[in-house]
Amino acid sequence: MYNVAEVNAEACVAQKGCRLCIMYCPEANCIQMDMKNMKAVIVEARCKGCELCVVVCDAAKHNAIKMVAR
Amino acid sequence: MANRIQINKEFVDIMPQDYLDLVESGTYETPNRGWKDFGTATELIAEHSLCAGCPESIAFRHIMASIPNPEDTVMVGSTGCTSLVFPMIAVHNIHSLFGNQNAIATGLKRALAVRFPDRVKDVIVLAGDGATVDIGLDMTLQSWFRKERFTTICFDNELYANTGGQESGLMQKGFLAKMAPVGKRFEKVRLPEIARESGCDYVAIMTASKPSLVEKVIKQAVLIAREVGPTYIQIYTPCILEIGKQSMEGLQEMRTSEAPGERFKFREFISPEAQSFLDGLAEKKKAEKIATTT
Ligand SMILES: Cc1ncc(C[n+]2csc(CCOP(=O)(O)OP(=O)(O)O)c2C)c(N)n1
Ligand code: SF4
Ligand code: SF4
Ligand code: SF4
Ligand SMILES: [Mg+2]
């Protein structure tokens, strides 16, 4: 089992300009902006499950990311 | 000069997708590249084997997004955790023997100036604290004494991470590590001050907690190294593994360590020559802005 991050598109406020998870994810090309829906999306194959995205998203009170088992 | 990064049409069908993405949407030849490209452009780093949550990875991302001229930059690395990332970056780079990075960069910068007299070629060293301050200190200092025109970046995690946590010159006094069990007896070496006294025209000490600040510092350091003299950046990239932090705690550790009075509070030294160069750049930018709005 392996933990990866998952974005809840309804809670994500990237359309208002938030880029926190994208800024701080340690992995390159791992959290992308879906420019059509203006939401953050995780590229699961690159996610190492560190949970830093959850920390920054929660600290900003967006609570849009949770870790899921794969 | 535009469109120098291209793919041979014959190879398109056999190249991996990651490679095609880089050619398509990597930010080469993009004057205002920066961290704002994250999430939309392809970054110049592929998957690597640093620990989950490692702040070295965060700093590496911010740096690779910020270097002003990636298509004409050669980076020089050294042994340590950073050397696990170097094979995965999409910029020319050399792996030097542990500690030799500033000597290699010196020769490289001079050779590039002879080989490409009409083209700007930037050289950037990126190495750990063990490589920069302990085993490579001679080479680090000699390159500064001789005013060699390249940027030295030290990923300061205050110990030898890659070999399991030995004491380094940049470790704090009193610190205990797995392979330094009696605690360090000496002060953290004041390399930023030594850099200033040794001839660097720009010195910054910081953490990787703010991508916009990393971007500003990297751009200044590379441009000053190009036109004025050597530059040095020391970035706190805590080794979460060796200091006993969880994978998601690296950012908080950096923020705590850069608070007022703490050892990584942001500090910058700019020589008068570098300052007048920066002032000139700002003037030019202002004039361009006025020209485009009128
Ligand atoms: C000439 C030489 N001496 C010693 C080593 C063993 N060695 C490998 S990594 C390392 C420490 C690296 O520490 P640092 O430069 O701080 O980088 P970090 O891993 O902490 O990022 C050492 C001593 C080596 N590879 N080559
Ligand atoms: S930090 Fe949260 S709200 Fe902001 S872009 Fe990421 S997922 Fe969306
Ligand atoms: S868990 Fe870590 S690696 Fe995965 S998306 Fe979040 S920040 Fe990136
Ligand atoms: S050992 Fe430390 S510095 Fe090296 S990758 Fe792991 S967390 Fe990062
Ligand atoms: Mg180190």
Side-chain angles (χ1 to χ4, degrees):
Chain A
M1 203 175 74
Y2 193 83
N3 276 346
V4 292
E6 189 174 76
V7 175
N8 168 4
E10 270 165 40
C12 172
V13 293
Q15 78 279 4
K16 294 188 190 156
C18 181
R19 296 289 182 276
L20 282 168
C21 56
I22 297 175
M23 274 158 72
Y24 289 112
C25 171
E27 302 306 313
N29 299 307
C30 178
I31 309 185
Q32 299 286 308
M33 264 304 284
D34 171 353
M35 293 305 280
K36 208 170 106 229
N37 302 311
M38 292 307 280
K39 299 291 172 187
V41 279
I42 314 280
V43 180
E44 266 190 21
R46 294 184 198 270
C47 173
K48 287 183 183 166
C50 73
E51 272 186 66
L52 187 55
C53 53
V54 177
V55 167
V56 293
C57 189
D58 286 358
K61 304 219 162 34
H62 305 317
N63 305 315
I65 311 181
K66 64 177 190 333
M67 302 306 291
V68 293
R70 282 286 180 270
Chain B
M1 281 282 247
N3 275 329
R4 279 168 46 211
I5 308 294
Q6 289 186 18
I7 190 161
N8 185 323
K9 285 196 185 67
E10 303 289 328
F11 289 147
V12 172
D13 57 334
I14 58 161
M15 293 308 279
Q17 190 58 44
D18 287 3
Y19 193 97
L20 299 174
D21 290 346
L22 265 176
V23 177
E24 279 269 301
S25 77
T27 48
Y28 299 104
E29 301 172 277
T30 311
N32 294 318
R33 64 193 304 277
W35 74 269
K36 287 192 174 57
D37 306 323
F38 283 163
T40 49
T42 302
E43 292 174 53
L44 309 189
I45 309 183
E47 289 157 89
H48 53 70
S49 56
L50 295 196
C51 299
C54 175
E56 284 198 356
S57 316
I58 304 178
F60 227 122
R61 274 187 83 208
H62 295 172
I63 290 167
M64 294 311 288
S66 308
I67 53 176
N69 201 19
E71 61 283 1
D72 279 305
T73 298
V74 187
M75 296 182 75
V76 181
S78 195
T79 318
C81 284
T82 49
S83 58
L84 303 174
V85 183
F86 270 102
M88 314 312 289
I89 66 170
V91 167
H92 286 298
N93 63 89
I94 297 178
H95 176 77
S96 68
L97 182 68
F98 192 44
N100 278 2
Q101 60 281 348
N102 280 46
I104 303 276
T106 296
L108 175 67
K109 178 73 189 184
R110 292 183 187 191
L112 288 171
V114 174
R115 173 66 181 79
F116 300 101
D118 307 323
R119 200 183 281 175
V120 171
K121 289 280 183 186
D122 296 321
V123 172
I124 302 173
V125 170
L126 198 171
D129 48 313
T132 309
V133 184
D134 295 333
I135 299 174
L137 185 64
D138 183 4
M139 279 58 85
T140 305
L141 292 183
Q142 293 291 350
S143 71
W144 294 343
F145 296 158
R146 293 169 204 219
K147 302 287 270 183
E148 300 293 346
R149 292 216 187 152
F150 60 84
T151 298
T152 304
I153 303 171
C154 173
F155 272 12
D156 180 7
N157 53 16
E158 308 192 297
L159 43 70
Y160 291 14
N162 199 241
T163 41
Q166 292 83 3
E167 175 178 318
S168 108
L170 290 188
M171 182 181 270
Q172 303 170 67
K173 188 174 179 182
F175 197 84
L176 294 171
K178 269 195 259 164
M179 303 223 189
V182 292
K184 191 179 178 200
R185 282 183 292 147
F186 314 105
E187 296 292 339
K188 183 178 174 77
V189 172
R190 295 172 60 182
L191 199 62
E193 285 76 13
I194 295 172
R196 187 189 63 200
E197 296 302 320
S198 304
C200 284
D201 282 287
Y202 178 78
V203 179
I205 181 159
M206 63 194 306
T207 78
S209 76
K210 296 185 198 79
S212 54
L213 188 60
V214 175
E215 178 180 330
K216 183 170 168 243
V217 165
I218 293 289
K219 285 183 172 164
Q220 282 183 353
V222 172
L223 296 180
I224 291 170
R226 199 187 278 173
E227 305 291 342
V228 188
T231 58
Y232 174 61
I233 306 169
Q234 187 170 320
I235 307 185
Y236 183 42
T237 54
C239 172
I240 47 178
L241 189 78
E242 296 298 341
I243 65 173
K245 297 274 173 192
Q246 299 294 321
S247 61
M248 75 298 279
E249 292 175 339
L251 180 60
Q252 190 51 51
E253 169 63 21
M254 292 192 280
R255 285 180 175 159
T256 307
S257 311
E258 68 188 355
E262 292 297 328
R263 63 199 187 290
F264 289 100
K265 167 144 183 43
F266 180 68
R267 283 176 285 143
E268 217 177 17
F269 160 77
I270 310 177
S271 74
E273 294 80 4
Q275 189 59 58
S276 69
F277 167 71
L278 290 179
D279 293 345
L281 280 187
E283 286 284 313
K284 226 164 98 189
K285 232 186 200 158
K286 216 159 118 194
E288 273 166 20
K289 222 177 194 170
I290 293 168
T292 50
T293 50
T294 50

mmCIF file of all heavy atoms in Angstrom, chain B residues 56 79-82 97-98 127-132 135 155 157 159-163 168, ligand 1:
data_model
loop_
_atom_site.group_PDB
_atom_site.id
_atom_site.type_symbol
_atom_site.label_atom_id
_atom_site.label_comp_id
_atom_site.label_asym_id
_atom_site.label_seq_id
_atom_site.Cartn_x
_atom_site.Cartn_y
_atom_site.Cartn_z
ATOM 1 N N GLU B 56 15.595 19.702 -0.055
ATOM 2 C CA GLU B 56 16.524 19.872 -1.189
ATOM 3 C C GLU B 56 15.742 19.810 -2.503
ATOM 4 O O GLU B 56 16.055 20.515 -3.452
ATOM 5 C CB GLU B 56 17.614 18.783 -1.186
ATOM 6 C CG GLU B 56 18.690 19.011 -0.147
ATOM 7 C CD GLU B 56 19.981 18.217 -0.403
ATOM 8 O OE1 GLU B 56 20.032 17.411 -1.357
ATOM 9 O OE2 GLU B 56 20.949 18.406 0.368
ATOM 10 N N THR B 79 29.352 15.262 -5.066
ATOM 11 C CA THR B 79 28.769 14.111 -4.402
ATOM 12 C C THR B 79 27.902 14.581 -3.233
ATOM 13 O O THR B 79 28.183 15.593 -2.613
ATOM 14 C CB THR B 79 29.898 13.211 -3.875
ATOM 15 O OG1 THR B 79 30.890 13.150 -4.880
ATOM 16 C CG2 THR B 79 29.400 11.825 -3.574
ATOM 17 N N GLY B 80 26.873 13.823 -2.928
ATOM 18 C CA GLY B 80 25.946 14.201 -1.862
ATOM 19 C C GLY B 80 24.539 13.944 -2.353
ATOM 20 O O GLY B 80 24.347 13.465 -3.476
ATOM 21 N N CYS B 81 23.535 14.276 -1.542
ATOM 22 C CA CYS B 81 22.162 13.997 -1.971
ATOM 23 C C CYS B 81 21.808 14.725 -3.260
ATOM 24 O O CYS B 81 21.057 14.201 -4.079
ATOM 25 C CB CYS B 81 21.175 14.327 -0.850
ATOM 26 S SG CYS B 81 21.205 13.060 0.445
ATOM 27 N N THR B 82 22.359 15.931 -3.477
ATOM 28 C CA THR B 82 22.049 16.651 -4.718
ATOM 29 C C THR B 82 22.463 15.858 -5.957
ATOM 30 O O THR B 82 21.866 16.013 -7.019
ATOM 31 C CB THR B 82 22.773 18.012 -4.785
ATOM 32 O OG1 THR B 82 24.152 17.801 -4.466
ATOM 33 C CG2 THR B 82 22.164 19.017 -3.844
ATOM 34 N N LEU B 97 34.293 15.316 -8.855
ATOM 35 C CA LEU B 97 34.715 14.542 -7.692
ATOM 36 C C LEU B 97 34.420 15.368 -6.441
ATOM 37 O O LEU B 97 34.587 16.583 -6.442
ATOM 38 C CB LEU B 97 36.216 14.234 -7.786
ATOM 39 C CG LEU B 97 36.783 13.379 -6.655
ATOM 40 C CD1 LEU B 97 36.240 11.968 -6.712
ATOM 41 C CD2 LEU B 97 38.299 13.355 -6.721
ATOM 42 N N PHE B 98 33.982 14.705 -5.383
ATOM 43 C CA PHE B 98 33.561 15.372 -4.155
ATOM 44 C C PHE B 98 34.544 16.479 -3.731
ATOM 45 O O PHE B 98 35.713 16.215 -3.489
ATOM 46 C CB PHE B 98 33.454 14.323 -3.053
ATOM 47 C CG PHE B 98 32.757 14.794 -1.813
ATOM 48 C CD1 PHE B 98 31.584 15.534 -1.895
ATOM 49 C CD2 PHE B 98 33.247 14.478 -0.563
ATOM 50 C CE1 PHE B 98 30.924 15.943 -0.752
ATOM 51 C CE2 PHE B 98 32.595 14.892 0.585
ATOM 52 C CZ PHE B 98 31.431 15.627 0.491
ATOM 53 N N ALA B 127 26.155 22.452 -4.644
ATOM 54 C CA ALA B 127 26.729 21.343 -3.886
ATOM 55 C C ALA B 127 26.320 21.429 -2.425
ATOM 56 O O ALA B 127 25.853 22.468 -1.952
ATOM 57 C CB ALA B 127 28.253 21.380 -4.005
ATOM 58 N N GLY B 128 26.498 20.345 -1.699
ATOM 59 C CA GLY B 128 26.139 20.308 -0.284
ATOM 60 C C GLY B 128 27.150 21.054 0.574
ATOM 61 O O GLY B 128 28.190 21.529 0.095
ATOM 62 N N ASP B 129 26.837 21.151 1.864
ATOM 63 C CA ASP B 129 27.730 21.878 2.774
ATOM 64 C C ASP B 129 29.045 21.121 2.978
ATOM 65 O O ASP B 129 30.106 21.737 3.086
ATOM 66 C CB ASP B 129 27.051 22.169 4.119
ATOM 67 C CG ASP B 129 26.368 20.953 4.729
ATOM 68 O OD1 ASP B 129 25.645 20.263 3.996
ATOM 69 O OD2 ASP B 129 26.557 20.702 5.933
ATOM 70 N N GLY B 130 28.984 19.791 2.999
ATOM 71 C CA GLY B 130 30.223 19.026 3.147
ATOM 72 C C GLY B 130 31.167 19.301 1.989
ATOM 73 O O GLY B 130 32.369 19.513 2.172
ATOM 74 N N ALA B 131 30.603 19.336 0.781
ATOM 75 C CA ALA B 131 31.408 19.572 -0.417
ATOM 76 C C ALA B 131 31.941 21.003 -0.450
ATOM 77 O O ALA B 131 33.090 21.245 -0.820
ATOM 78 C CB ALA B 131 30.568 19.293 -1.662
ATOM 79 N N THR B 132 31.104 21.963 -0.044
ATOM 80 C CA THR B 132 31.467 23.377 -0.174
ATOM 81 C C THR B 132 32.426 23.839 0.922
ATOM 82 O O THR B 132 33.387 24.562 0.669
ATOM 83 C CB THR B 132 30.184 24.251 -0.108
ATOM 84 O OG1 THR B 132 29.240 23.741 -1.046
ATOM 85 C CG2 THR B 132 30.474 25.710 -0.429
ATOM 86 N N ILE B 135 35.364 19.513 2.497
ATOM 87 C CA ILE B 135 36.333 18.879 1.603
ATOM 88 C C ILE B 135 36.704 19.790 0.433
ATOM 89 O O ILE B 135 37.825 19.773 -0.047
ATOM 90 C CB ILE B 135 35.798 17.497 1.173
ATOM 91 C CG1 ILE B 135 35.649 16.666 2.470
ATOM 92 C CG2 ILE B 135 36.722 16.815 0.183
ATOM 93 C CD1 ILE B 135 35.018 15.331 2.331
ATOM 94 N N PHE B 155 23.764 23.948 -0.706
ATOM 95 C CA PHE B 155 22.589 23.404 -0.029
ATOM 96 C C PHE B 155 23.037 23.020 1.369
ATOM 97 O O PHE B 155 23.657 21.979 1.577
ATOM 98 C CB PHE B 155 22.044 22.182 -0.778
ATOM 99 C CG PHE B 155 21.046 22.516 -1.856
ATOM 100 C CD1 PHE B 155 20.857 23.823 -2.285
ATOM 101 C CD2 PHE B 155 20.275 21.513 -2.446
ATOM 102 C CE1 PHE B 155 19.931 24.135 -3.284
ATOM 103 C CE2 PHE B 155 19.343 21.820 -3.439
ATOM 104 C CZ PHE B 155 19.172 23.118 -3.862
ATOM 105 N N ASN B 157 22.456 21.651 4.683
ATOM 106 C CA ASN B 157 21.591 20.881 5.589
ATOM 107 C C ASN B 157 22.338 20.553 6.882
ATOM 108 O O ASN B 157 21.921 19.707 7.654
ATOM 109 C CB ASN B 157 21.005 19.641 4.907
ATOM 110 C CG ASN B 157 22.070 18.768 4.276
ATOM 111 O OD1 ASN B 157 23.243 18.903 4.585
ATOM 112 N ND2 ASN B 157 21.661 17.872 3.410
ATOM 113 N N LEU B 159 24.880 18.970 7.783
ATOM 114 C CA LEU B 159 25.543 17.680 8.031
ATOM 115 C C LEU B 159 25.768 16.948 6.709
ATOM 116 O O LEU B 159 25.349 17.420 5.655
ATOM 117 C CB LEU B 159 24.749 16.805 9.009
ATOM 118 C CG LEU B 159 23.227 16.681 8.887
ATOM 119 C CD1 LEU B 159 22.795 15.904 7.670
ATOM 120 C CD2 LEU B 159 22.661 16.027 10.126
ATOM 121 N N TYR B 160 26.418 15.796 6.800
ATOM 122 C CA TYR B 160 26.598 14.938 5.630
ATOM 123 C C TYR B 160 25.388 14.016 5.578
ATOM 124 O O TYR B 160 25.336 13.004 6.276
ATOM 125 C CB TYR B 160 27.868 14.088 5.756
ATOM 126 C CG TYR B 160 29.179 14.832 5.668
ATOM 127 C CD1 TYR B 160 29.259 16.211 5.777
ATOM 128 C CD2 TYR B 160 30.359 14.128 5.455
ATOM 129 C CE1 TYR B 160 30.472 16.864 5.686
ATOM 130 C CE2 TYR B 160 31.579 14.776 5.361
ATOM 131 C CZ TYR B 160 31.631 16.145 5.483
ATOM 132 O OH TYR B 160 32.830 16.789 5.401
ATOM 133 N N ALA B 161 24.432 14.347 4.745
ATOM 134 C CA ALA B 161 23.192 13.575 4.715
ATOM 135 C C ALA B 161 23.376 12.258 3.978
ATOM 136 O O ALA B 161 22.932 11.204 4.429
ATOM 137 C CB ALA B 161 22.098 14.401 4.045
ATOM 138 N N ASN B 162 24.048 12.341 2.862
ATOM 139 C CA ASN B 162 24.117 11.190 1.959
ATOM 140 C C ASN B 162 24.849 9.997 2.559
ATOM 141 O O ASN B 162 24.643 8.862 2.156
ATOM 142 C CB ASN B 162 24.789 11.632 0.654
ATOM 143 C CG ASN B 162 24.515 10.682 -0.486
ATOM 144 O OD1 ASN B 162 25.419 10.094 -1.047
ATOM 145 N ND2 ASN B 162 23.260 10.512 -0.817
ATOM 146 N N THR B 163 25.703 10.256 3.537
ATOM 147 C CA THR B 163 26.452 9.157 4.145
ATOM 148 C C THR B 163 25.970 8.849 5.566
ATOM 149 O O THR B 163 26.650 8.162 6.320
ATOM 150 C CB THR B 163 27.958 9.473 4.147
ATOM 151 O OG1 THR B 163 28.136 10.849 4.493
ATOM 152 C CG2 THR B 163 28.577 9.229 2.787
ATOM 153 N N SER B 168 29.465 18.368 9.950
ATOM 154 C CA SER B 168 30.035 19.206 8.883
ATOM 155 C C SER B 168 30.410 20.559 9.475
ATOM 156 O O SER B 168 29.973 20.915 10.574
ATOM 157 C CB SER B 168 29.016 19.393 7.746
ATOM 158 O OG SER B 168 28.496 20.705 7.727
HETATM 159 C C1 LIG C 1 36.383 12.104 -2.479
HETATM 160 C C2 LIG C 1 35.217 11.582 -1.704
HETATM 161 N N1 LIG C 1 35.266 11.566 -0.352
HETATM 162 C C3 LIG C 1 34.221 11.104 0.359
HETATM 163 C C4 LIG C 1 33.092 10.643 -0.267
HETATM 164 C C5 LIG C 1 31.942 10.088 0.551
HETATM 165 N N2 LIG C 1 30.792 10.985 0.593
HETATM 166 C C6 LIG C 1 29.759 10.842 -0.240
HETATM 167 S S1 LIG C 1 28.520 11.950 0.043
HETATM 168 C C7 LIG C 1 29.389 12.638 1.325
HETATM 169 C C8 LIG C 1 28.808 13.748 2.153
HETATM 170 C C9 LIG C 1 28.008 14.750 1.417
HETATM 171 O O1 LIG C 1 27.649 15.767 2.291
HETATM 172 P P1 LIG C 1 27.157 17.153 1.754
HETATM 173 O O2 LIG C 1 28.129 17.719 0.784
HETATM 174 O O3 LIG C 1 26.808 18.010 2.921
HETATM 175 O O4 LIG C 1 25.840 16.792 0.917
HETATM 176 P P2 LIG C 1 24.415 16.258 1.459
HETATM 177 O O5 LIG C 1 24.399 14.800 1.186
HETATM 178 O O6 LIG C 1 24.315 16.606 2.900
HETATM 179 O O7 LIG C 1 23.399 16.991 0.646
HETATM 180 C C10 LIG C 1 30.619 11.985 1.501
HETATM 181 C C11 LIG C 1 31.606 12.317 2.552
HETATM 182 C C12 LIG C 1 33.075 10.649 -1.681
HETATM 183 N N3 LIG C 1 32.000 10.219 -2.390
HETATM 184 N N4 LIG C 1 34.140 11.109 -2.375
#
